[in-house]
Amino acid sequence: MKRVLLWLMLLLSGLATRVNAQDLQKMQQRQKAAIQSAFRKKQVTPKEYYKLQEEQEVIRKAMERAKADDYLSPKEQNEIYGKLQRAEKRLRKYKTNREVY
C-alpha cells in the first residue's frame, strides 16, 4: 500500500512539473505579445523595445537549456520564473516612464 501511494505521489509531482513548464512558456509568450503591443502603441521607445527583446531572447535560451534534459528542476523553474518577473517589472516601468515620443 505504501509503495502504491509513493508511486502515485511521484506520478502526480511529475505532472505538476510539466504544467509549470508549460505555464512558464505561456507566460513568456504573453510577455512577448505585450512587448510588441506596447511598441506598436508607442508606449516604449525603440531602444527600450530592443532591450526587452534581448531580455526575452535570454529567457528563451534559459528555457531551452533547462529543457535540454527533458526535466525542469525546481531550481531551474525558479530561475526562469525570476527572469520572467524581472522582465514583467521592466516592461511595466518602461510603459509608465512618462516619456513623450
Side-chain angles (χ1 to χ4, degrees):
M1 186 65 183
K2 287 183 181 182
R3 286 185 183 179
V4 172
L5 285 174
L6 179 65
W7 280 104
L8 184 60
M9 289 175 60
L10 288 173
L11 178 66
L12 291 175
S13 67
L15 292 176
T17 302
R18 279 190 168 159
V19 171
N20 288 337
Q22 291 172 351
D23 289 344
L24 292 174
Q25 193 170 18
K26 286 180 184 178
M27 194 174 174
Q28 197 230 359
Q29 289 173 351
R30 274 187 263 133
Q31 272 187 8
K32 249 181 144 173
I35 291 168
Q36 301 261 336
S37 175
F39 184 64
R40 272 189 260 115
K41 294 178 182 177
K42 302 206 184 275
Q43 293 175 332
V44 296
T45 65
K47 186 175 182 178
E48 292 169 343
Y49 173 74
Y50 291 116
K51 284 182 182 180
L52 291 167
Q53 289 290 37
E54 287 175 16
E55 188 173 32
Q56 290 297 311
E57 185 64 24
V58 168
I59 293 169
R60 187 186 64 77
K61 286 181 181 178
M63 290 176 89
E64 283 180 4
R65 276 194 312 274
K67 291 180 183 177
D69 60 354
D70 291 329
Y71 174 71
L72 199 60
S73 71
K75 182 182 177 190
E76 292 169 336
Q77 286 178 5
N78 288 338
E79 177 186 321
I80 293 169
Y81 185 74
K83 288 177 189 263
L84 288 168
Q85 289 299 313
R86 283 189 294 281
E88 185 71 31
K89 185 177 179 182
R90 189 167 290 123
L91 174 61
R92 209 170 336 154
K93 182 180 104 179
Y94 286 164
K95 284 171 70 174
T96 60
N97 62 4
R98 299 178 191 250
E99 288 185 19
V100 178
Y101 309 115

